[in-house]
Amino acid sequence: QVQLVESGGGLVQAGGSLRLSCAASGRTLSSYTMGWFCHAPGKERAFVAAISWSSGSTAYRDSVKGRFTISRDNAENMVHLQMNSLKPEDTAVYYCAADQKFLPRDYSSYRYWGQGTQVTVSS
């Protein structure tokens, strides 16, 4: 079992920044991919970014490239999502997820999920 706990969400004005964190526990994560997904009202859960814990390879959704950065902290067993230049359309609940597949983009590929953290971007 892998337990994931997100933090760092909140309310920010358009153009602002937030840093989401995901604390992982329960298993050695060296063979896992850690992903971030967002779920806005009326929309499907969407891939945001992912990182391979072992290699550090990353993947991003096109609309967040250049604005969001995913990173991992091996010592603290945490994954971060630095979100800059936020837009109102980034408003959603953001979820951290983990799976042993390599950088999957579809939410059905992830086995473990956190409870989510709300990000609200005002215009």
Side-chain angles (χ1 to χ4, degrees):
Q1 286 283 356
V2 175
Q3 291 80 42
L4 304 172
V5 179
E6 302 95 334
S7 61
L11 173 63
V12 64
Q13 288 188 330
S17 298
L18 281 174
R19 187 191 193 212
L20 304 185
S21 297
C22 174
S25 62
R27 280 192 176 180
T28 301
L29 297 171
S30 59
S31 62
Y32 279 74
T33 287
M34 305 298 294
W36 285 97
F37 286 76
C38 64
H39 194 183
K43 297 185 179 180
E44 292 190 353
R45 192 170 298 196
F47 172 77
V48 176
I51 186 167
S52 166
W53 202 280
S54 58
S55 69
S57 299
T58 58
Y60 293 92
R61 188 175 75 196
D62 285 346
S63 63
V64 307
K65 286 180 180 178
R67 299 191 298 126
F68 292 8
T69 302
I70 189 170
S71 62
R72 72 201 192 292
D73 183 334
N74 290 341
E76 297 291 332
N77 249 23
M78 296 189 75
V79 175
H80 304 289
L81 184 68
Q82 179 66 42
M83 305 188 297
N84 299 330
S85 301
L86 282 162
K87 305 175 182 180
E89 52 263 42
D90 294 320
T91 295
V93 177
Y94 282 73
Y95 295 90
C96 177
D99 198 84
Q100 291 183 292
K101 302 181 187 68
F102 183 72
L103 297 180
R105 293 174 177 251
D106 56 308
Y107 68 82
S108 62
S109 292
Y110 286 82
R111 182 175 181 181
Y112 301 104
W113 291 86
Q115 82 289 349
T117 186
Q118 177 70 47
V119 171
T120 303
V121 184
S122 63
S123 57

